[in-house]
Amino acid sequence: MPKLYNKLEELVPQWRKERANILKKYGSAKMSDVTVAQAYGGMRGVKGMICETSLVEPNKGLIIRGYPLLDIKDMWPEDTFYLLLTGEKPDKAVRRDMIREINKRAKVPGYVWKVLEAMPKNSHPMTMLTTGLLTMERESEFRKAYSEGMKKEEYWKPMLEDALRIIAVMPIIAAGIYRMRFNKGRRIGWQKDKDIGWNYAHMLGIKDPDGSFAKLMRLYLHFHSDHEGGNVSANTCHTVGSALSDAYYAVVAGLNGLAGPLHGLANQECLGWIIDLNKKFRGGPSEKQIREYAFQTLRGGQVIPGYGHAVLRVTDPRFAGFLEFGKKHFPNDPVFRTVARVFKVVPKVLSEFSEERVKAGKGPIANFWPNVDAGSGSLLHHYGLKEFSYYTVLFSVSRAMGMLAQLIWNRAVGTAITRPKSVGSAWVKKNVKA
Ligand code: NMX
Ligand code: MLT
């Protein structure tokens, strides 16, 4: 049994007790109001769900179980998952145990590769990833146990087993897709007893003489793992999981949301924007040229990918952490340099454009600062991972951890099936006071 399992056996009764106490004490108290604008506007700011794994503070960014992200930036993905789920920072023995448990499950059935090989050659890597993972749904321990009559109190146990399996197979499927989709040659196998970050770097087949690409993979998988419960991928996974669909169904549903350009696909879009900028202005654009190019994008009715956020109102600490990595390892890389220069220019452009919008009768842009997607691609590009359409797959391998930790917690405490009430416009006009 993984140490994580033993820890959860100890924690789950406490979580249940706490939930019961909170409901008893605060159950009928109000925690949020909803305006008509919020109902039409993606429920922004409406507090309507519970998520314990992490919190996004508008002026601080991601806080995992009380730890601001940049204070724990040296964690490995194995540590991250343990922390997300238990709220405790793992020691070295726990890390070793997590690595051992992941290694035991790091096997992808042959039929997954056959399905992927049968897909059209120009399929998007995200479509391949979700197809590959969904193909494995037949392996779900949760679904098996449910159909055999498992009691509600036991739900979290096969959910944990499915989670560990998914965490172990995702980098293998993801790296296999990279090699297959971009003609990189044969698949490279998982190396026994190594950690997830190292193995993912190794299986992608990227040259890494000084080991810094493996370091980047650990950082990348840690940084993208979770962003509280309301973002599109986590929220979708939560909803699908609430119907007691197993983790394969629920995570794949969440990843389909991550594949949208306003969410995880922004990293692909963003690097494309930076590369176009570099192509247009040979030798790298000046600040003035970036400013003009940014206005051109905005006035063309498009968003500047990698900037803005639904919750954050400051520079995303994940962007800041990636910027620090780039400055340390390759400050003179031309693509990275443009990313750093864009950061100096675009917030002001967005602020000016926001004023223009307001004058034209539109709403303001709420946040002018870079999010996680503004910088991550330039780091991958530096190491030769230049196929932008692959970038959201890397995000997915990481985000699965947060979604899975949330699923386990929800099944452990018995979160109800999601079912908010919707109303039509006629109802609003009739029942809401102007
Ligand atoms: N460039 C241009 N316009 C923007 C931007 C931007 N970067 N950010 C917000 N706006 C616009 C937005 O499109 C909206 O316009 P309209 O009313 O005409 O539809 C208006 O400003 C108000 O939006 P906000 O309230 O500021 O932002 P919202 O919470 O609705 O959306 C994002 C948040 C992240 C979807 C939005 O900022 C955006 O589209 N950013 C660019 C795409 C991006 O980087 N997405 C990645 C987010 C992080 N992730 O990994 O998921
Ligand atoms: C995320 O990491 O999920 C994004 O920053 C989007 C969000 O939090 O809404």
Side-chain angles (χ1 to χ4, degrees), residues 198-216:
W198 187 94
N199 254 308
Y200 194 13
H202 165 72
M203 292 183 296
L204 284 167
I206 301 287
K207 286 203 171 62
D208 190 18
D210 65 356
S212 62
F213 184 63
K215 277 190 191 149
L216 175 63

Side-chain angles (χ1 to χ4, degrees), residues 87-140:
E88 291 180 18
K89 265 195 194 163
D91 58 18
K92 290 231 166 80
V94 170
R95 181 188 280 178
R96 274 198 300 277
D97 188 68
M98 286 295 293
I99 292 176
R100 215 171 14 246
E101 294 298 331
I102 296 295
N103 264 272
K104 277 190 209 159
R105 294 164 178 82
K107 285 177 205 83
V108 173
Y111 62 79
V112 172
W113 301 120
K114 287 199 181 131
V115 169
L116 292 177
E117 275 154 13
M119 289 180 76
K121 293 283 166 266
N122 61 355
S123 300
H124 193 282
M126 279 301 287
T127 317
M128 296 177 78
L129 180 71
T130 50
T131 304
L133 192 57
L134 194 58
T135 308
M136 274 190 72
E137 189 278 333
R138 64 188 285 282
E139 317 257 333
S140 169

Side-chain angles (χ1 to χ4, degrees), residues 8 13 20 30 125 140 154 241 258 260 270 286 292 305 353 367 369 389:
L8 288 180
K30 198 160 75 174
S140 169
E154 305 285 303
L258 196 71
C270 188
S286 66
E292 280 161 14
F353 188 68
N367 177 42
W369 301 101
S389 64

Side-chain angles (χ1 to χ4, degrees), residues 209-264:
D210 65 356
S212 62
F213 184 63
K215 277 190 191 149
L216 175 63
M217 283 298 99
R218 290 189 190 115
L219 187 75
Y220 193 102
L221 297 181
H222 175 44
F223 273 16
H224 287 83
S225 61
D226 203 40
H227 221 227
E228 65 174 40
N231 65 74
V232 169
S233 44
N235 197 8
T236 306
C237 177
H238 174 95
T239 299
V240 174
S242 80
L244 298 187
S245 303
D246 61 58
Y248 292 86
Y249 283 127
V251 168
V252 164
L255 295 181
N256 287 335
L258 196 71
L262 295 189
H263 193 18

